[in-house]
């Protein structure tokens, strides 16, 4: 009996010890570190002059390629400068790419890249936490001279000191003209009975909420919490009414083409590339959201000079025209429209590449959010998209 | 008990017997006939044994009676009711399966109660208790089958079938898996129960001793047909075929030439000597035949010495093998024409054991001999083991 | 590691007989691979998850998270997402039930009726696994398309009305982007997890037991419920668990086949982790889901009483 008790006691104390150790593991083993950095303290020695290379991570199918007689912009750059470009299409998703580099950049070690392209809000976030090097303005004269006005000063990088748009796009609405009558405004998506349950909106909070704010008469690039709340209310109401079928990424295009979805909040490039004549992209009456994927030079990049030379090169009008001719996104380079005459006259008046002044004047960017605000708003928005 | 009698007795004609009758029953599988045009009557209340070597169609026959197999042709009657195509769960027939087939998820009393409950009998507790008492398993009522010994499981299988008081109980080698001692015990038990409850038992076995100790009637089956049927001692004493003669016990079959009938006897010539067989034991009338005599009926004496109670005598043999088995001694005697005869002699102590090489004479009482048709194979039914 | 484990028991005489201590150690060496496996693939991730569920919710991916025993995360998570939690259990439960009914019929047919087609049918059951989960689910969008024949047929036979009546679809006569589509997707995707264990336990059943039941006055129906079904219970329990558990945590089906009001807790967790970076809430919600599932499983296994089965 006594023996038994001692045994259980022993077992008990082993248990308590194990619990204690577990608690310690919980506390010390798995915290996540503060990832804020100061770019000034995380600079590498630039070896651009001796090591003529450049490592660039971009989104898939975003750059023209050599084809028989056609010399791509990249090959031309390598010829002109003697810089060898390691071009990898390994950015599929902003958050995913963030996770890929967070451990290095968050602890001031090298991400093994000299340049990458990310969407506005992610670019803003990285700049905010000090992971991105400032561009040397004297080395990118073309950028400041040729960037189109609508992209010149986003809220999060007013003077384009850190970032240079690679390509830009518009967010508006698209509908399947074979299946449904004309759609003109964003508010129709929220209210039209014949669209009920056959509308998709985008999971990109800044795109969708930009429109919701516009509907409230607010300015997406400068709004108040109260306005945000009202915009959320409106979204929730429409959602509660069963107006929306889903919140999506790029995958709305198939549904739109197959007729499951009649109208959608849509990116201009997607519709231009879909090659389906029944799909029509239009700028909604309320306004248009504009976005860009921005080239950024991360901390500890060792070929910063080469990266800047690359940026400067892509802001030459002819280069911009060649690129836009390939991927049908909005060309961020002024003067590219004239240059397009020589590249492909058919595309000179393609409004999806060169939107008219009138269209561009209706574009809005989204306000730069600090980390806390961004969390709150993302949370609010997800409570609808993921409910 | 009274309730279950109702359901089985109502459709029973008041007068007529409830014999189980198989007529022209045939079962063919794709390229093989397992049972060939079987005609059998199993009298109500009898203990009927179906005996035969492995693969002869015993299980198939039972399965047709139970309704688990559809006959290719022929009919099965229970009294006046035809049940050839009746659903198994609608027949007043239960089976004790060769492998017991106890329900592993139910305890013993649930297993035993299964049939009654399926027929909607209420308050089966008492009957189950009685039945478990009968098979002496009262203390095991709450065990699962897997927790019981082979013999206990066998008794559960029996109880599970018996409790339904079926008109016919089919037992498919239920004792096959038991050791000898347990088997003897169960044989007595089964016989006792059968006498007590008075049901028709159809007992399948390939153990001839088992069949002979238990059954009122034995049918010997071979390759899908019944070779011979009758009371155990009739079958043993007066087999009609070489198969039965060899399968049921052992026989010496000696080539004989039939001379003809003379009074109540058939005279034959056996390798020069004369012998006779009572006509009711002679199953061949002319030409060649097999004279059969059981080894224990053969008497043996040293050449020239007198044989007590002599009958037909053949001389000139010598002993090639002797084995002592306690109560008796088995001799192998080589006869002048080269055949070896088997002789069993009781160890009465009247005479010393004869050694190998001894010259001997053999003899038997004519009334124990039997005569079979020579066209049959003398070795049919000899079990090779 | 493996070599030690492999060699030790091969020499029982040297180590076991004279030195019991050696034998004791051998035992420990033998469980080492399993223990390592568990440690690396279960214990450490589990601790990490529990730890993050107790993070200070004011942290962020960028400023870092600290474990502060912030149990209130659980209260918040449950309060904020009880709707989705409940919905996940409900959808997973319905899908499991549908899988059980369909899977049982299928497994029964394969085990008892398929004859020489048995192996082929088994291969067909697992054939969907040869393509990716995502593609299989996406293909349902084509099948259930609003203008497709399936929907047309469902409308003709008024199935859509029926489904609408029991609240599994909306009023507008479509199947895609409804709870029905999500549950159907879950059912489809997890069906093999139901069929295989069911088949395994049905196949083991001795047909002679079924014959015995019919010999003992059980009609085929009664025999099924009294013998076949009870004997297949281990398969039923294994199948329902293998179906319910992943279905409750799934988010792909809700994303692709559902609408904005059919999101399951998996969608919330995914969104909290990836787009919102709210590790604390995501962790708390994950652990809560896990606790609910473990709780349900324990109750289920207890009440189904499979431990008595042979
Ligand atoms: N389903 C079947 N298909 C084909 N042949 C079969 C089938 N069932 C039985 N048989 C054949 O029928 C014959 C009789 O089989 P049965 O089971 O009745 O033999 P048995 O007399 O009970 O033998 P045992 O003493 O070994 O149990 C055997 O030769 C067997 O191979
Ligand atoms: Mg048999």
């Amino acid at each position: 009996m006594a023996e038994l008790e001692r045994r259980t006691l022993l077992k008990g104390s082993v248990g308590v010890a194990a619990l204690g150790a577990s608690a310690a593991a919980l506390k010390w083993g798995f915290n996540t570190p503060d990832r804020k950095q100061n770019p000034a303290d995380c600079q590498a020695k630039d070896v651009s002059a001796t090591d003529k290379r450049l490592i660039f991570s971009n989104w898939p199918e975003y750059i023209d390629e050599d084809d028989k007689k056609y010399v791509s912009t990249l090959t031309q750059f390598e010829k002109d400068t003697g810089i060898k470009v390691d071009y990898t299409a390994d950015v599929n998703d902003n958050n995913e790419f963030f996770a890929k580099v967070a451990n290095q950049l968050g602890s001031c070690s090298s991400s093994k890249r000299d340049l990458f392209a990310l969407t506005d809000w992610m670019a803003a976030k990285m700049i905010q936490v000090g992971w991105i090097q400032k561009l040397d303005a004297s080395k990118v004269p073309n950028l400041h001279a040729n960037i189109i006005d609508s992209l010149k000063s986003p809220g999060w990088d007013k003077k384009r000191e850190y970032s240079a748009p690679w390509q830009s796009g518009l967010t508006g609405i698209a509908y399947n003209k074979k299946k449904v009558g004309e759609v003109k405004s964003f508010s129709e998506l929220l209210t039209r009975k014949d669209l009920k349950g056959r509308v998709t909106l985008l999971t990109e909070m800044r795109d969708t909420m930009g429109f919701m704010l516009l509907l409230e008469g607010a300015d997406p690039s400068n709004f108040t919490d109260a306005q945000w709340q009202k915009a959320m209310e409106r979204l929730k109401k429409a959602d509660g009414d069963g107006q929306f079928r889903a919140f999506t990424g790029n995958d709305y295009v198939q549904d739109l083409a197959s007729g499951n979805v009649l109208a959608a909040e849509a990116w201009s490039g997607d519709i231009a590339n879909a090659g389906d004549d029944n799909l029509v992209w239009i700028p909604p009456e309320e306004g248009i959201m504009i976005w860009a994927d921005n080239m950024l030079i991360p901390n500890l990049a060792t070929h910063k000079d080469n990266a800047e030379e690359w940026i400067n090169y892509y802001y030459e009008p002819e280069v911009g025209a060649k690129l836009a001719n390939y991927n049908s996104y909005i060309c961020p380079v002024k003067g590219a429209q004239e240059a397009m005459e020589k590249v492909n006259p058919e595309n000179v008046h393609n409004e999806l590449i060169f939107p008219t002044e009138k269209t561009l004047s209706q574009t809005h960017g989204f306000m730069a959010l600090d980390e806390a605000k961004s969390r709150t708003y993302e949370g609010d928005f997800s409570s609808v998209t993921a409910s | 008990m009274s309730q279950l009698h109702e359901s089985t007795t109502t459709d029973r004609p008041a007068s007529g017997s409830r014999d189980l009758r198989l007529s022209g029953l045939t079962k063919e599988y794709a390229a093989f006939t397992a049972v060939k045009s079987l005609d059998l009557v199993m009298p109500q209340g009898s203990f009927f044994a179906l005996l035969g070597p492995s693969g002869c169609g015993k299980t198939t026959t039972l399965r047709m009676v139970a309704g688990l197999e559809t006959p290719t042709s022929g009919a099965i009657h229970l009294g006046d009711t035809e049940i050839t195509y009746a659903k198994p769960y609608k027949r007043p027939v239960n089976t004790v399966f060769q492998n017991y087939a106890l329900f592993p998820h139910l305890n013993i009393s649930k297993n035993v109660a299964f049939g009654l409950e399926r027929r909607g009998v209420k308050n089966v507790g008492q009957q189950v208790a009685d039945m478990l008492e009968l098979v002496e398993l009262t203390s095991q009522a709450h065990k699962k089958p897997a927790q019981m010994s082979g013999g206990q499981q066998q008794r559960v299988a029996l109880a599970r079938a018996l409790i339904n008081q079926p008109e016919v109980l089919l037992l498919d080698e239920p004792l096959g898996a038991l050791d000898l001692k347990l088997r003897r015990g169960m044989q007595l038990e089964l016989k006792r129960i059968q006498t007590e409850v008075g049901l028709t038992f159809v007992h399948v076995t390939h153990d001839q001793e088992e069949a002979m100790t238990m059954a009122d009637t034995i049918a010997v089956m071979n390759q899908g047909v019944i070779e011979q049927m009758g009371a155990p001692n009739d079958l043993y004493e007066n087999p009609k075929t070489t198969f039965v003669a060899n399968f049921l016990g052992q026989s010496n079959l000696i080539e004989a030439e039939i001379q003809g009938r003379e009074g109540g006897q058939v005279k034959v010539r056996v390798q020069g000597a004369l012998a006779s067989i009572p006509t009711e034991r002679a199953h061949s009338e002319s030409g060649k035949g097999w004279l059969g005599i059981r080894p224990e009926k053969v008497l043996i004496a040293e050449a020239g010495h007198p044989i007590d109670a002599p009958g037909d005598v053949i001389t000139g043999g010598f002993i090639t093998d002797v084995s002592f088995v306690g109560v008796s001694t088995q001799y192998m005697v080589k006869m002048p024409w080269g055949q070896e005869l088997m002789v069993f002699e009781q160890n009465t102590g009247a005479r010393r054991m004869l050694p190998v090489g001894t010259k001997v004479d053999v003899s038997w009482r004519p009334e124990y001999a039997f005569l079979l048709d020579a066209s049959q194979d003398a070795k049919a039914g000899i079990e090779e083991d | 590691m493996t070599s030690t484990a492999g060699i030790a028991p091969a020499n029982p005489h040297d180590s076991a007989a004279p030195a019991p201590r050696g034998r004791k150690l051998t035992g420990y060496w033998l469980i080492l691979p399993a223990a390592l496996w568990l440690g690396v693939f279960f214990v450490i991730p589990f601790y990490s998850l529990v730890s993050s569920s107790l993070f200070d919710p004011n942290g962020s991916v960028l400023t870092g998270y600290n474990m502060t025993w912030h149990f209130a995360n659980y209260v918040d998570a449950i309060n904020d997402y009880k709707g989705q939690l409940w919905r996940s259990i409900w959808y997973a439960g319905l899908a499991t039930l549908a899988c059980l009914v369909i899977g049982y019929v299928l497994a029964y047919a394969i085990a008892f009726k398929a004859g020489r087609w048995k192996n082929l049918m088994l291969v067909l059951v697992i054939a969907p696994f040869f393509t990716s989960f995502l593609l299989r689910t996406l293909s349902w969008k084509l099948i259930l398309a609003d203008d497709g024949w399936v929907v047309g047929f469902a409308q003709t036979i008024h199935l859509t009305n029926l489904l609408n009546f029991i609240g599994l679809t909306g009023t507008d006569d479509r199947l895609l982007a409804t709870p029905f589509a999500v549950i159907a997707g879950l059912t489809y995707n997890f069906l093999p997890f139901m069929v295989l264990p069911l088949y395994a336990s049905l196949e083991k059943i001795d047909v002679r037991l079924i014959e015995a039941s019919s010999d003992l006055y059980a009609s085929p129906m009664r025999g099924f419920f009294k013998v076949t079904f009870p004997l297949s219970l281990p398969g039923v329990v294994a199948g329902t668990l293998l179906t319910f558990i992943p279905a409750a945590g799934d988010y792909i089906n809700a994303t692709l086949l559902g609408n904005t009001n059919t999101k399951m807790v998996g969608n919330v967790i995914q969104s909290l982790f990836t787009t919102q970076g709210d590790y604390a809430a995501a962790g708390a919600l994950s652990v809560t889901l896990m606790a609910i599932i473990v709780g349900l499983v324990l109750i289920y296994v207890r009440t189904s009483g499979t431990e008595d089965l042979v």
Side-chain angles (χ1 to χ4, degrees):
Chain A
M1 194 64 196
E3 172 71 4
L4 211 82
E5 268 168 11
R6 214 170 48 230
R7 274 246 208 94
T8 33
L9 216 78
L10 210 74
K11 266 193 193 162
S13 57
V14 169
V16 170
L19 259 175
S22 305
L26 280 180
K27 194 151 180 75
W28 306 116
F30 303 103
N31 289 341
T32 69
D34 187 345
R35 289 179 160 138
K36 282 219 172 65
Q37 301 297 333
N38 180 355
D41 299 339
C42 290
Q43 281 174 346
K45 189 169 172 299
D46 196 317
V47 296
S48 289
T50 53
D51 183 21
K52 300 218 109 216
R53 282 198 307 143
L54 166 66
I55 305 165
F56 181 23
S57 284
N58 204 350
W59 298 71
E61 296 180 47
Y62 226 16
I63 193 166
D64 54 329
E65 285 163 12
D66 289 340
D67 186 18
K68 290 177 195 147
K69 271 204 245 151
Y70 178 79
V71 181
S72 71
T73 51
L74 186 149
T75 311
Q76 192 62 47
F77 174 78
E78 287 184 331
K79 270 192 197 153
D80 292 355
T81 60
I83 295 168
K84 165 92 183 59
V85 184
D86 280 338
Y87 183 96
T88 355
D90 61 350
V91 187
N92 288 302
D93 178 277
N94 284 303
N95 283 310
E96 188 189 305
F97 190 77
F98 175 87
K100 208 182 281 188
V101 296
N103 281 338
Q104 286 96 42
L105 292 179
S107 59
C108 194
S109 42
S110 168
S111 68
K112 305 275 189 326
R113 291 170 176 87
D114 301 311
L115 193 67
F116 47 67
L118 295 172
T119 310
D120 297 318
W121 59 273
M122 183 54 82
K125 181 163 158 178
M126 287 200 177
I127 293 168
Q128 234 171 45
V129 291
W131 293 0
I132 304 300
Q133 295 285 322
K134 228 176 193 169
L135 300 172
D136 183 342
S138 67
K139 298 215 168 104
V140 286
N142 288 345
L143 168 64
H144 296 294
N146 294 345
I147 187 166
I148 57 175
D149 293 339
S150 49
L151 293 174
K152 205 163 205 156
S153 59
W156 46 272
D157 188 11
K158 292 240 184 267
K159 295 181 187 157
R160 288 288 179 194
E161 290 175 303
Y162 291 92
S163 61
W166 170 255
Q167 294 285 271
S168 167
L170 300 177
T171 312
I173 53 187
Y175 61 93
N176 188 330
K177 72 177 179 199
K178 207 169 77 185
K179 308 264 179 186
V180 75
E182 190 180 11
V183 180
K184 288 189 195 142
S185 68
F186 204 85
S187 71
E188 287 175 55
L189 296 188
L190 304 187
T191 52
R192 250 171 74 170
K193 282 275 164 286
D194 62 332
L195 298 179
K196 183 174 174 229
R198 306 183 79 170
V199 172
T200 60
L201 300 188
L202 295 167
T203 45
E204 283 291 350
M205 182 265 275
R206 285 160 182 84
D207 285 326
T208 302
M209 289 312 291
F211 283 112
M212 298 311 297
L213 286 160
L214 285 172
L215 282 173
E216 294 300 326
D219 178 0
S221 62
N222 187 11
F223 57 89
T224 64
D225 273 349
Q227 288 170 322
W228 168 267
Q229 285 307 337
K230 289 178 85 175
M232 277 308 305
E233 289 308 318
R234 185 189 287 253
L235 184 69
K236 275 187 190 148
K237 169 148 192 329
D239 182 44
D241 291 347
Q243 188 71 12
F244 308 135
R245 190 177 189 106
F247 286 83
T248 67
N250 297 81
D251 40 333
Y252 62 90
V253 184
Q254 295 96 306
D255 274 332
L256 198 57
S258 72
N260 285 338
V261 167
L262 300 176
E265 178 187 2
W267 286 307
S268 56
D270 283 343
I271 305 301
N273 288 327
D276 184 331
D277 291 339
N278 291 320
L279 306 190
V280 189
W281 185 89
I282 56 127
E285 285 167 358
E286 291 87 352
I288 310 163
M289 296 304 295
I290 186 165
W291 55 268
D293 288 330
N294 305 276
M295 292 180 278
L296 305 165
I297 300 175
N299 288 348
L300 293 169
T302 49
H303 306 93
K304 184 163 180 279
D305 284 356
N306 291 348
E308 284 161 347
E309 194 156 354
W310 168 272
I311 293 172
N312 203 43
Y313 169 76
Y314 274 91
Y315 272 84
E316 282 169 18
E318 298 78 38
V319 180
K322 272 176 86 172
L323 182 62
N325 184 52
Y326 166 79
N327 64 19
S328 299
Y329 279 92
I330 293 174
C331 179
V333 185
K334 252 191 236 167
Q337 192 161 16
E338 290 76 47
M340 188 62 94
E341 291 282 7
K342 271 187 277 166
V343 178
N344 181 359
E346 271 181 35
N347 267 340
V348 174
H349 297 291
N350 185 339
E351 286 205 18
L352 292 174
I353 297 175
F354 304 108
T356 61
E357 276 307 313
K358 181 169 155 287
T359 306
L360 285 177
S361 70
Q362 297 168 11
T363 58
H364 301 268
F366 201 85
M367 186 161 87
L369 303 174
D370 63 31
E371 176 64 15
K373 265 270 151 16
S374 162
R375 272 275 290 282
T376 317
Y377 288 171
E378 287 282 6
D380 287 351
F381 185 63
S382 323
S383 74
V384 179
T385 60
S387 64
Chain B
M1 284 277 172
S2 56
Q3 291 124 310
L4 58 131
H5 266 301
E6 275 165 16
S7 57
T8 47
T9 46
T10 41
D11 52 349
R12 198 180 287 193
S15 61
S17 77
R18 297 287 284 176
D19 297 349
L20 177 64
R21 276 190 294 123
L22 314 184
S23 23
L25 200 63
T26 302
K27 179 68 191 179
E28 286 166 7
Y29 293 112
F32 183 82
T33 309
V35 175
K36 289 175 202 149
S37 189
L38 209 60
D39 291 300
L40 265 186
V41 178
M42 310 183 195
Q44 180 181 6
S46 69
F47 197 120
F48 193 96
L50 207 50
L51 181 65
S54 185
C56 72
K58 305 180 297 285
T59 297
T60 310
T61 309
L62 282 204
R63 286 173 61 82
M64 287 191 283
V65 174
L68 301 173
E69 208 84 66
T70 314
T72 314
S73 63
I76 304 170
H77 284 87
L78 198 55
D80 300 329
T81 330
E82 171 162 7
I83 57 165
T84 319
Y85 302 106
K87 297 263 184 270
Y89 52 94
K90 293 195 171 144
R91 302 182 183 208
V93 172
N94 287 112
T95 310
V96 179
F97 291 91
Q98 198 161 4
N99 64 331
Y100 314 149
L102 299 180
F103 302 121
H105 59 298
L106 302 178
N107 68 22
I108 299 316
S109 27
K110 290 265 177 215
N111 260 286
V112 173
F114 194 92
L116 292 184
E117 283 174 352
R118 294 295 79 71
R119 287 192 300 173
V121 178
K122 299 275 181 300
N123 305 322
V124 297
Q126 191 52 47
Q127 293 183 55
V128 171
D130 290 348
M131 192 46 72
L132 287 179
E133 177 137 22
L134 183 73
V135 295
E136 292 164 9
L137 285 174
T138 309
S139 60
Q140 319 279 324
H142 297 288
K143 281 191 178 172
K144 289 275 172 72
Q147 299 162 320
M148 311 197 75
S149 75
Q152 290 170 328
Q153 292 184 28
Q154 198 280 323
R155 282 181 276 163
V156 177
L158 185 64
R160 187 179 67 171
L162 263 182
I163 195 170
N164 302 297
Q165 296 269 316
E167 293 186 45
V168 178
L169 186 71
L170 307 174
L171 302 111
D172 192 355
E173 301 198 37
L175 311 180
L178 307 186
D179 66 51
L180 193 66
K181 191 155 174 280
L182 198 53
R183 187 150 71 203
R184 291 287 171 259
M186 282 309 300
Q187 283 171 0
L188 295 176
E189 192 111 333
L190 268 182
K191 184 70 197 166
R192 174 176 66 79
I193 291 168
Q194 195 263 341
T195 333
E196 249 168 58
V197 295
L199 305 176
T200 310
F201 272 38
V202 181
H203 183 100
V204 157
T205 178
H206 58 227
D207 175 346
Q208 35 129 342
E209 264 183 63
E210 184 172 298
M212 287 196 281
T213 47
M214 297 172 78
D216 307 326
T217 312
I218 296 178
V220 178
M221 199 170 177
N222 184 29
Q223 295 182 0
V225 299
I226 299 289
E227 293 257 343
Q228 190 178 350
M229 192 174 115
N233 63 329
D234 287 348
L235 235 58
Y236 185 79
E237 294 299 344
N238 185 7
K240 289 196 176 92
T241 66
T242 56
F243 178 84
V244 176
N246 290 322
F247 190 75
L248 217 56
Q250 288 163 308
S251 295
N252 294 303
L253 296 179
I254 309 166
E255 206 175 316
E257 262 171 58
I258 301 170
Q259 306 286 310
R261 188 187 285 243
E262 199 171 286
Q265 307 233 296
V266 175
K267 294 282 176 199
V268 299
R269 179 170 291 281
V270 182
Q271 307 291 340
L274 271 176
S276 55
I277 297 115
T279 44
E280 71 276 11
R281 298 167 68 89
H283 306 293
S284 185
E285 293 283 327
S286 61
K288 281 189 188 287
W290 293 113
L291 181 143
I293 183 77
R294 297 285 185 185
E296 73 276 13
K297 303 284 173 15
V298 182
L299 303 172
I300 186 171
E302 265 179 276
H305 287 247
I307 295 176
D308 47 284
D312 296 326
V313 179
I314 302 180
T315 56
F318 68 94
I319 294 174
T320 56
D321 189 60
V322 180
S323 32
F324 175 72
V325 279
V327 295
S328 65
T329 305
Q330 300 185 9
Y331 296 101
M332 295 303 288
V333 179
K334 187 143 196 161
M335 298 313 288
W337 60 93
Q339 184 180 9
E340 278 192 329
L341 298 185
M342 208 179 326
V343 180
F344 295 169
E345 187 179 65
Q346 286 293 313
N347 289 336
T348 55
R351 173 167 48 65
R352 65 179 178 93
M353 224 165 78
L354 301 172
V356 172
T358 316
K359 290 198 174 351
V360 292
D361 301 333
V362 296
S363 155
W364 59 81
R365 300 292 314 155
E367 57 268 37
Y368 293 130
F370 50 89
L371 186 62
L372 304 175
D373 189 337
S375 65
Q376 295 172 5
D377 178 8
K379 293 206 160 40
I382 294 179
E383 279 176 307
E384 286 125 46
D385 37 24
Chain C
M1 175 195 79
T2 30
S3 68
T4 345
I7 289 166
N11 239 339
H13 297 297
D14 307 352
S15 56
R21 217 177 135 258
R23 183 165 49 192
K24 219 172 171 183
L25 278 182
T26 309
Y28 288 119
W29 282 115
L30 282 171
I31 59 167
L32 189 66
L36 274 176
W37 193 92
L38 245 145
V40 174
F41 294 110
F42 177 71
V43 178
I44 295 176
F46 179 72
Y47 268 104
S48 157
L49 184 66
V50 173
S51 169
S52 62
S53 74
L54 297 171
F55 279 165
D56 173 6
N58 294 318
S60 76
V61 180
L62 296 171
T63 57
Y65 277 107
N66 283 311
M67 213 288 286
T68 57
W69 300 107
H70 201 276
F71 286 102
N73 287 341
Y74 283 90
V75 181
D76 293 343
I78 294 171
N79 272 333
D80 292 352
Y81 302 110
K82 52 179 177 297
Q84 288 92 336
L85 277 169
W86 169 239
R87 188 183 290 145
S88 297
I89 304 297
W90 176 232
Y91 284 7
L94 282 178
T96 306
L97 200 67
C99 278
L100 182 60
V101 173
I102 301 170
Y104 207 106
V105 173
L106 201 56
Y108 190 92
I110 298 175
F112 295 123
K113 310 278 173 194
R116 62 207 182 87
W117 302 105
K118 201 180 255 185
N119 287 336
L120 179 71
M121 287 185 73
L122 280 174
V123 170
L124 286 181
V125 166
I126 56 166
F129 285 135
F130 298 151
T131 61
S132 97
F133 187 80
L134 212 62
L135 285 181
R136 276 183 280 146
T137 312
L138 274 172
S139 64
W140 274 95
K141 289 187 80 159
L142 293 179
I143 297 169
L144 296 181
D146 289 8
D147 300 335
W149 65 269
V150 174
V151 171
F153 181 69
Q155 287 169 358
T156 326
I157 63 167
H158 297 288
L159 178 67
T160 42
N161 294 345
L162 174 73
L163 289 171
N164 177 33
F165 179 71
I166 55 177
L168 288 182
T169 61
T171 47
D172 42 0
D173 268 12
R174 62 181 156 87
L175 296 178
L176 210 53
T178 62
F180 169 78
V182 179
I183 295 166
L186 290 170
T187 304
Y188 161 74
N189 275 310
F190 296 111
L191 187 60
F193 294 113
M194 180 66 88
V195 174
L196 294 180
L198 275 179
Y199 167 77
S201 67
L202 281 171
E203 215 255 353
K204 270 202 313 224
I205 295 179
D206 189 344
V207 287
R208 291 176 298 189
L209 292 177
I210 299 163
E211 288 182 351
S213 80
S214 78
D215 186 64
L216 291 165
Y217 312 103
S219 62
M221 190 71 114
R222 290 282 207 78
F224 174 80
F225 284 111
K226 288 290 168 187
V227 178
T228 313
F229 188 76
L231 287 176
S232 68
L233 265 185
V236 173
V237 172
T240 43
L241 293 184
L242 283 175
T243 312
F244 181 81
I245 295 171
D250 181 74
Y251 67 93
I252 304 274
N253 286 283
T255 306
L256 297 179
L257 303 175
N259 63 34
T260 55
N261 295 310
T262 61
K263 293 282 152 63
M264 294 170 66
V265 69
N267 299 87
V268 178
I269 294 172
Q270 194 240 5
S271 152
L272 285 171
F273 255 118
T274 56
T275 59
Q276 300 172 61
D278 191 345
Y279 292 179
L285 200 54
S286 303
V287 175
T288 306
L289 176 66
M290 210 158 125
I292 291 176
I293 290 177
V294 169
L296 287 175
V297 165
L298 285 181
I299 295 172
Y300 175 60
V301 171
R302 271 287 167 80
T303 50
S304 65
T306 29
E307 60 266 26
D308 292 354
L309 287 173
V310 203

